[in-house]
Amino acid sequence: MKRVLYIWILLIMSAVMPCFASGGEAGNKSDIDVNSLVFGHINDAYEWHIVSIGDRHISIPLPVIVKSSTGWHVFMSSCLEEGEHEGLFIAKGGDYDGKIVERDTAGNEVRPFDISITKNVLAMIINSIVLVWIILGCARWYKKHPVENGAPNGGVGMIESLVLIVYNDVIKGCIGPDYRRYAPYLLTVFFFILVNNLMGLIPFFPGGANVTGNIAITFVLALVTFIFTNVFATKGYWKEIFWPEVPLWLKVPVPMMPVIEFFGIFTKPFALMIRLFANIMAGHAAILSLLAIIFITVKVGPFINGMMTFVSVLFGVFMSALEILVAFIQAYVFTMLSAVFIGLSRVKEEK
């Protein structure tokens, strides 16, 4: 247990020291901008920041791929460090803050068609490779070890336990007899969210990216669940929406219940999207805010700052450990709610 605690303290300090290196001198001159410190780590970016040493920022430049009014542009994000490049630049403030923009004939900032490989995109690719490597590793183990030889141990046993929990308790229990056709999707979405959540807790490259705390990612996941729920729904499901078994005066002449049920089709995936996005982003923001206490108390004096640094790191370790549990819970809840919504769409019409 002590080893685990020491490891987490080292991980938290590895996340603190890059910020301290870049913010220490600034803290002696002016107040720390906590908002920029927190959201600078949470928001997406065109480069992957590694560490800052004084005024020197060490980052991994990423490919920029945009189509502007002058055509396609492909270059590395390091070309934008000096400002404008090929008529493109990163907006400072406004509606497109932090995004690549260009100026139209009237001088207004407009966004081009942007398919750049950003930090979150690269992190999602890396995390997907990690997930495939884990699953294929388990598959290779099962090929070499027949079931008759006993249950697996270690990492393979942990993955098998997670698969059985989700498969038997969530998918089979929530969907019913027709559960097999949805099992591949639900197992995939569970492990995809879980791996991205856990990788986001690692405070150094290739971890630390706020993938599942990005609403665009959670929107796509919720959209896929929405498609599975409604495209493959039974006639009984649509009958319950447009002609539910309620008193007639709730359906005609004013279709009160059908309207409510119809809006429920869209509020369910919306709740999925917001729940995952808000919980993961809040977790990242909470940890970074606790670490920001170190910088805020610099001017108070070395004694107070030292005490608050200890408290900040201690609470940071606690929050990071708690976020491991949250990473599993959010993956489980998203999968369970998706299975529940799909199960509700498999209503058999009574004859």
Side-chain angles (χ1 to χ4, degrees), residues 14-321:
S14 69
V16 172
M17 292 311 295
C19 300
F20 187 80
S22 61
E25 295 181 2
N28 293 329
K29 299 177 182 178
S30 60
D31 294 332
I32 286 293
D33 186 354
V34 178
N35 184 66
S36 299
L37 180 66
V38 172
F39 286 96
H41 285 73
I42 290 177
N43 291 340
D44 201 2
Y46 291 96
E47 62 181 10
W48 198 312
H49 181 263
I50 303 299
V51 68
S52 295
I53 304 176
D55 295 331
R56 184 185 178 190
H57 302 285
I58 301 176
S59 304
I60 300 176
L62 301 175
V64 173
I65 308 171
V66 297
K67 182 181 182 182
S68 68
S69 57
T70 58
W72 285 96
H73 303 268
V74 181
F75 54 87
M76 300 303 291
S77 60
S78 55
C79 297
L80 297 171
E81 292 179 356
E82 302 299 327
E84 187 172 322
H85 180 75
E86 297 181 1
L88 302 168
F89 59 95
I90 297 179
K92 305 295 183 182
D95 296 334
Y96 306 127
D97 184 32
K99 303 297 182 181
I100 291 179
V101 296
E102 61 175 339
R103 296 193 183 278
D104 58 14
T105 54
N108 300 316
E109 293 182 352
V110 294
R111 284 206 67 188
F113 179 67
D114 192 348
I115 55 172
S116 302
I117 306 298
T118 61
K119 177 182 176 180
N120 282 347
V121 174
L122 178 60
M124 186 167 59
I125 293 172
I126 293 174
N127 297 344
S128 299
I129 293 173
V130 170
L131 176 58
V132 171
W133 175 73
I134 292 173
I135 298 303
L136 291 182
C138 293
R140 286 194 297 270
W141 188 93
Y142 282 108
K143 285 184 178 180
K144 296 179 181 179
H145 300 80
V147 179
E148 295 78 13
N149 294 345
N153 298 317
V156 178
M158 181 183 67
I159 297 298
E160 180 180 316
S161 299
L162 291 175
V163 170
L164 291 176
I165 289 172
V166 176
Y167 188 81
N168 292 326
D169 298 341
V170 177
I171 302 175
K172 190 175 181 179
C174 295
I175 296 179
D178 199 23
Y179 70 94
R180 292 182 182 274
R181 63 188 301 188
Y182 301 102
Y185 163 67
L186 292 171
L187 284 170
T188 300
V189 78
F190 171 78
F191 282 103
F192 176 81
I193 295 174
L194 180 62
V195 169
N196 278 281
N197 288 350
L198 294 176
M199 290 291 288
L201 296 176
I202 301 174
F204 50 81
F205 181 83
N210 187 35
V211 177
T212 44
N214 187 311
I215 198 166
I217 304 297
T218 60
F219 168 77
V220 173
L221 293 173
L223 178 63
V224 176
T225 295
F226 173 80
I227 292 172
F228 271 93
T229 302
N230 295 282
V231 172
F232 304 104
T234 61
K235 294 181 179 179
Y237 168 75
W238 293 110
K239 180 180 179 295
E240 287 189 354
I241 291 176
F242 293 108
W243 197 256
E245 295 183 2
V246 295
L248 186 62
W249 62 273
L250 291 174
K251 296 183 286 188
V252 291
V254 179
M256 182 186 301
M257 289 305 299
V259 169
I260 293 174
E261 292 291 339
F262 179 75
F263 276 105
I265 296 175
F266 303 97
T267 56
K268 291 173 184 176
F270 180 79
L272 277 180
M273 175 184 69
I274 297 299
R275 182 190 299 273
L276 180 59
F277 156 74
N279 280 281
I280 300 303
M281 189 189 70
H284 283 261
I287 294 173
L288 292 168
S289 298
L290 286 170
L291 299 181
I293 296 175
I294 299 173
F295 311 127
I296 296 172
T297 57
V298 167
K299 289 186 176 181
V300 181
F303 179 73
I304 300 296
N305 182 241
M307 291 184 59
M308 294 309 298
T309 298
F310 174 78
V311 172
S312 175
V313 172
L314 187 64
F315 275 96
V317 172
F318 171 75
M319 285 298 299
S320 296

Side-chain angles (χ1 to χ4, degrees), residues 170 174 225 271-272 275 332-342:
V170 177
C174 295
T225 295
L272 277 180
R275 182 190 299 273
Y332 184 87
V333 169
F334 189 98
T335 307
M336 180 185 67
L337 291 177
S338 296
V340 169
F341 297 156
I342 292 173

